[in-house]
Amino acid sequence: MSNVGNSTNILWHDCPIQKQDRQQLLQQKGCVIWLTGLSGSGKSTIACALSRSLHSRGKLSYILDGDNIRHGLNHDLSFRAEDRSENIRRIGEVAKLFADAGVICITSLISPYQKDRDACRALLPKGDFIEVFIDVPLQVCEARDPKGLYKLARAGKIKGFTGIDDPYEPPCSCEFRFSYSFQKTGAFILQIVLQQKGSGCKSPSDMAEIVISYLEENGYLRA
Ligand SMILES: Nc1ncnc2c1ncn2[C@@H]1O[C@H](COP(=O)(O)OS(=O)(=O)O)[C@@H](OP(=O)(O)O)[C@H]1O
Ligand SMILES: Nc1ncnc2c1ncn2[C@@H]1O[C@H](COP(=O)(O)OP(=O)(O)O)[C@@H](O)[C@H]1O
């Protein structure tokens, strides 16, 4: 018997069917692909491209999208710092369960704080947390503004908007960083900065394929 958090006298119950059995069934390894970046950076778009491409290869994935989870499990949370941390903590725990189920779990959250992302990484076995930083400058995200939220934030109608009057801490070390660079012409071009390899890429599906190659090379797409 042990005490965990506010729960007392609880005992872990094991099942003879384990993660390895589920992975065998699915012919893949459970892991978490953690997408982080500003609102409008392209997290949801890349998450969908990833999921679509994995699906076409017969691999099971599931997306935990910040906006969507805030419609249900996390509907009680605001955008105050403590609530953002709790949002990340809960989604990190859910992602861990998906990975334990053998699923490739893709999270799409701003997740602005380094310590919260690190805490989620620490929940998983080494290598199973793949952090992907969608490093798109604020000006680009703001110009896209697909939901009109930056406009509202600039007008003071939304307080504490990430990048405007709330912080975003870029990852210190992540598996992938997809970044924009500023050309002499003034146009933004998408550049990829990888720990593994460097190459130019332009579209969300290009970025998805690079992450999928990493999964393949690291044995996540077989049991
Ligand atoms: N104050 C504030 N700051 C940032 N974002 C805001 C805010 N209010 C609402 N939204 C919308 O909520 C989406 C971000 O939710 P997340 O759960 O990913 O945020 S966080 O990780 O807890 O910081 C985010 O969605 P994305 O654009 O998909 O990132 C916004 O649409
Ligand atoms: N690589 C890209 N190049 C150009 N536009 C993009 C790219 N990725 C996403 N977008 C566009 O940017 C907007 C924000 O993308 P979205 O995936 O919703 O971002 P986030 O989930 O980070 O808020 C959308 O209109 C989307 O079509």
Side-chain angles (χ1 to χ4, degrees):
M1 294 287 177
S2 58
N3 301 336
V4 180
N6 290 330
S7 301
T8 52
N9 305 315
I10 51 169
L11 188 64
W12 185 270
H13 194 279
D14 263 328
C15 174
I17 298 296
Q18 303 249 317
K19 182 178 185 182
Q20 211 180 329
D21 305 298
R22 293 184 284 273
Q23 294 186 150
Q24 197 63 39
L25 197 69
L26 294 168
Q27 287 297 300
Q28 63 183 54
K29 292 198 183 78
C31 62
V32 175
I33 302 172
W34 191 278
L35 306 176
T36 174
L38 293 173
S39 175
S41 57
K43 302 181 297 296
S44 305
T45 308
I46 295 169
C48 287
L50 266 168
S51 196
R52 198 181 309 115
S53 182
L54 286 165
H55 187 81
S56 72
R57 288 161 199 248
K59 302 298 165 192
L60 185 62
S61 65
Y62 193 80
I63 299 172
L64 301 175
D65 187 281
D67 261 331
N68 296 355
I69 304 288
R70 282 173 177 277
H71 278 80
L73 177 66
N74 290 349
H75 75 98
D76 56 325
L77 301 178
S78 74
F79 287 92
R80 285 181 311 163
E82 314 87 88
D83 281 3
R84 287 185 197 255
S85 287
E86 178 60 10
N87 182 39
I88 303 315
R89 189 193 71 77
R90 287 184 200 171
I91 294 178
E93 290 285 356
V94 174
K96 177 186 169 180
L97 296 177
F98 271 94
D100 189 52
V103 176
I104 297 167
C105 184
I106 304 161
T107 66
S108 170
L109 307 155
I110 297 178
S111 42
Y113 306 126
Q114 177 80 48
K115 72 167 175 33
D116 296 335
R117 295 188 301 263
D118 287 348
C120 293
R121 181 184 287 272
L123 292 173
L124 284 134
K126 196 170 160 44
D128 289 2
F129 183 91
I130 300 148
E131 193 172 351
V132 181
F133 176 26
I134 317 298
D135 185 11
V136 177
L138 177 65
Q139 319 151 242
V140 176
C141 297
E142 200 171 347
R144 289 178 179 168
D145 205 9
K147 302 172 198 159
L149 297 178
Y150 282 103
K151 200 168 173 218
L152 291 174
R154 287 289 185 199
K157 291 180 180 155
I158 300 177
K159 303 278 182 220
F161 198 81
T162 307
I164 304 294
D165 55 350
D166 223 52
Y168 178 82
E169 298 169 3
C172 308
S173 69
C174 52
E175 280 69 15
F176 292 94
R177 177 160 76 91
F178 294 115
S179 76
Y180 272 77
S181 68
F182 204 58
Q183 279 183 320
K184 278 193 194 125
T185 58
F188 281 107
I189 55 155
L190 186 59
Q191 232 190 18
I192 179 172
V193 182
L194 293 178
Q195 298 203 340
Q196 302 285 314
K197 56 188 161 193
S199 68
C201 84
K202 288 181 173 54
S203 70
S205 51
D206 284 340
M207 292 185 257
E209 289 314 313
I210 287 164
V211 176
I212 288 174
S213 298
Y214 176 91
L215 294 179
E216 208 147 39
E217 284 160 22
N218 287 278
Y220 287 97
L221 302 187
R222 56 181 184 269

